[in-house]
Amino acid sequence: MKGDQSKAEFDAVIVGAGFSGMYMLYKLRKEGFSVKVLETGDDVGGTWYWNRYPGARCDVPSMEYSFSFSEKLQREWAWSEVMAGQPEILGYANHIADRFDLRRDIQFNTKVTTARFEEKLGVWTVSTESGEDFTGRFCVMATGCLSVPNTPVIEGADKFSGDIFHTGFWPKEGVDFSKRRVGIIGTGSSGIQAIPVIAETVEHLTVFQRTPNYTMPAYNKPLTEEFRQKAISNYPEIRREQRESIAGIVGYGFGFGGAENIEPEDQILKTTAEEREKLVEAEGFAAIRRYLDVQIDPEANELACEMYRSQVSRVIEDQQVAEKLMPKGYPIGCKRPVIDTNYYETYNKKNVTLVDLRQGGIEEIAANGIQTAQGFYEFDTLIYATGFDAMTGALERINIEGRSGFKLKDYWAAGPRTYLGLQISGFPNFFTITGPGSPSVLSNMLVSIEQHVDWLAELISYMTKHQYSTIETSSAVEDEWIAHVNEVAQGTMFTAKSCNSWYLGANIPGKPRIFMPYVGGVGEYRKKCDEVAAAGYEGFSLRS
Ligand code: FAD
Ligand code: N01
């Protein structure tokens, strides 16, 4: 072991073998550290291993939703579409595992249940469901922001007699939907991607929608070899821009969202109703992307929502169905943006029924369907597209104990507290990748993952070189960071009173309502992390 200052078996124990855990392993191994990765699934890929539902794909251009750390890797992997589907992204994860020989340090089928800091020894003991212990100087949680599927508690759910699936826990062998009558609960990103594809083959599909979403057409298309080569030769510039940007996305020549030729211009508040109507007629949903005041001004936002609803009524043939699909009462841009392929068009199909739960909610699940206040809907297969216990879910499901048996779950009872989304006071040598308080889910996650992993690997090398054994932040430093995270989120649509997003924990009953990610942008955040490191890891105490 390179940093052999303790009794630990490994320099680092990493939990999770999605993109975060894989890159952390690669990076630490490259620096000469010994690493063990523990993963519940039986292979790599994380999100893309679990979310195999029909229609699953990323909504960031794949040439950008990819790692930049290896020049060879980014040259040799040829993405086939602007936004790749789940099988291709999982293929990419597997390629990385093979190419860099990662699997030899990953133990699959291994669920971590406890991580305890052994204060006297200065090591972390990470324990698994099957009773194995692994010790490390450092413990890195690469457990994912969207890795714990949420199945809502609904009366009678255990009585359903047909097949039950969750989009976030989809069977590897897939599902043959022909001859099935399917009910699907949820119209977030997962539901909106799955519904059009399932509707293609199913006998009948009933969609249970509690809140209609704002979703934009994806305009996905195949990538030409010519485009790929051009993008590859522009990679140095693309990667630099990504790192300095707000969301880690450049959108380089991708025609992302069909709005490539639209320059954001005047405020929507300065337009007339007629002008807006004409624009929607000409440009469809993309027209709404023109205006910069929509994200910060509630009045401007409501005008954009009106434009949106007017376009919904254009796309949907039956105006009663259109009315059901219209989002109302909460701002556009408060939830994670959703993009789709033929979502609204699906409701023009004869084999699709939309149940607007605003007109009468779910009362119970029966053996053969769902009873709502507006009637009974019969089907033989039930799909939950009901999202995740996001950002804190995976961490709080592990019994994490820091100094003096201090429990993370207790410390976070009123909401997550971190410094930079990287560390938590009372938990020395313990790190979270893309933790709450970092840009994480508001960004192209691969950009954020690379930044966190690079920063952590440099820190661990620094500590080893200078013979520091522990690093720890303090609650006062956390307070300052949390105040900053809250300050930048104020006044944005993300924190509007009428917004109930998983960013705020609002999708999980009883979860504290706290805006968890950092909205300041990946560029600003990176600068801050670099300054912290340059100042000798300001805000952290390093001890020998
Ligand atoms: P994950 O991929 O979630 O991996 C975490 C791993 O940790 C999992 O394999 C899990 O099994 C394992 N784990 C968790 N707890 C334990 C435990 N106790 N013991 C052992 N193992 C454990 N982001 C984007 O930027 N762009 C996109 O277009 C995009 N699309 C998405 C589409 C879907 C359907 C979903 C669900 C998410 C999407 N995301 C997207 C976010 C996505 O989660 C990240 O981009 C990225 O894949 C996260 O990688 P990760 O390694 O941090 O976490
Ligand atoms: O989950 P969600 P998701 N009764 O929480 C409904 C990423 N992702 O899996 O809005 C009835 O967004 C709930 O209703 P409401 C992306 O970050 C990306 O779809 O709470 N309905 C909602 O409609 C995304 O944001 C892609 O009223 C219930 C739905 O279930 C994140 O993952 C694709 C209910 C849940 O929506 C999560 O998306 C997929 C109940 N009891 C995922 N409980 C890309 O395209 C919940 N709902 C990149």
Side-chain angles (χ1 to χ4, degrees), residues 195-221:
I195 286 162
V197 184
I198 294 173
E200 287 294 323
T201 55
V202 83
E203 195 177 297
H204 192 88
L205 179 65
T206 307
V207 178
F208 295 88
Q209 166 202 264
R210 188 165 66 181
T211 309
N213 228 315
Y214 299 99
T215 167
M216 301 279 178
Y219 298 108
N220 194 27
K221 58 184 177 201

Side-chain angles (χ1 to χ4, degrees), residues 15-21 38-41 43 45-51 53 56-60 65 110-113 142-147 190 193 336 388 394 398 433-434 443-446 449:
V15 187
F19 285 127
S20 298
L38 306 171
E39 165 60 52
T40 306
D43 210 339
T47 286
W48 307 103
Y49 170 92
W50 297 108
N51 291 260
Y53 60 86
R57 65 174 62 249
C58 72
D59 64 0
V60 170
Y65 186 77
T110 303
K111 185 171 187 170
V112 168
T113 50
T143 44
C145 293
L146 295 159
S147 53
S190 303
Q193 284 187 332
R336 165 69 156 76
F388 301 88
I398 301 172
I433 300 182
T434 67
S443 67
N444 171 355
M445 291 284 276
L446 286 220
I449 288 168

